[in-house]
Amino acid sequence: MSEEQIEQPQQTFEIQRIYLKDVSFESPQSPAMFKEKWEPTSNLQVGTQHREISENVYEVVLNLTTTVTINEKTAFLIEVEQAGIFTLSGFEDGALGHVLGSYCPNTLFPFAREAISDLTTKGGFPPLLLAPVNFDAIYAQRQQESQQTDGGNETTH
């Protein structure tokens, strides 16, 4: 073996499981909302969390909350926590943070998107197809915010 092979740890990325951790659908104005002309406005909030559950094994949770309104009345509100268990090894801290904060949520997003579309249909509404989310940009923004917070004398929690 050459020195490079010894120094470079083998990187492992494995999906162990993908699952819905929590889901909520609310349609507070039903059935009156079905009579409204379907010209919705939607708002999507995205969040991610991760935690190590055993050595090199992490749970990553993608939180999506979408609120759809018509004429300033809530047609429906959906909250989805799409989770996955990932085996990750051989990554340096910075690369591991990126995988957990961007790559894993990107892997989970299509599953959450499908759950939201299915829920809207089951709720009697046209399917809601979410636009792609740039998790790299979200991760970079959070890193920048974290550096700004940690850079000062005071840390806000």
Side-chain angles (χ1 to χ4, degrees):
M1 284 189 169
S2 72
E3 285 185 38
E4 285 184 27
Q5 289 174 322
I6 294 170
E7 291 177 19
Q8 294 288 330
Q10 181 66 30
Q11 290 183 338
T12 303
F13 175 89
E14 294 177 12
I15 301 170
Q16 289 189 14
R17 181 164 304 199
I18 293 178
Y19 55 99
L20 271 175
K21 188 167 182 127
D22 192 12
V23 64
S24 171
F25 176 88
E26 299 174 32
S27 181
Q29 306 294 325
S30 297
M33 191 55 58
F34 300 133
K35 295 178 181 178
E36 298 284 337
K37 185 174 181 183
W38 189 247
E39 293 178 351
T41 302
S42 63
N43 176 34
L44 177 66
Q45 296 174 350
V46 178
T48 62
Q49 311 166 328
H50 65 270
R51 66 184 179 102
E52 189 170 17
I53 55 178
S54 65
E55 186 176 349
N56 297 325
V57 179
Y58 299 85
E59 179 190 49
V60 177
V61 180
L62 172 61
N63 305 293
L64 298 178
T65 302
T66 186
T67 306
V68 173
T69 58
I70 298 175
N71 298 325
E72 299 182 20
K73 293 184 276 186
T74 301
F76 60 84
L77 174 110
I78 298 176
E79 296 174 316
V80 170
E81 287 187 6
Q82 185 71 54
I85 298 174
F86 301 88
T87 300
L88 305 170
S89 63
F91 293 93
E92 295 178 11
D93 286 345
L96 179 62
H98 187 261
V99 171
L100 290 168
S102 178
Y103 193 78
C104 291
N106 220 5
T107 302
L108 297 172
F109 183 75
F111 296 92
R113 181 181 179 188
E114 180 183 21
I116 288 172
S117 177
D118 288 350
L119 286 167
T120 58
T121 302
K122 289 177 181 179
F125 296 95
L128 177 64
L129 301 176
L130 299 179
V133 173
N134 185 340
F135 289 100
D136 284 332
I138 292 170
Y139 177 74
Q141 180 181 356
R142 287 193 182 136
Q143 289 298 103
Q144 185 178 18
E145 289 170 359
S146 176
Q147 289 173 356
Q148 289 173 351
T149 302
D150 293 343
N153 294 331
E154 295 181 19
T155 304
T156 306
H157 294 283

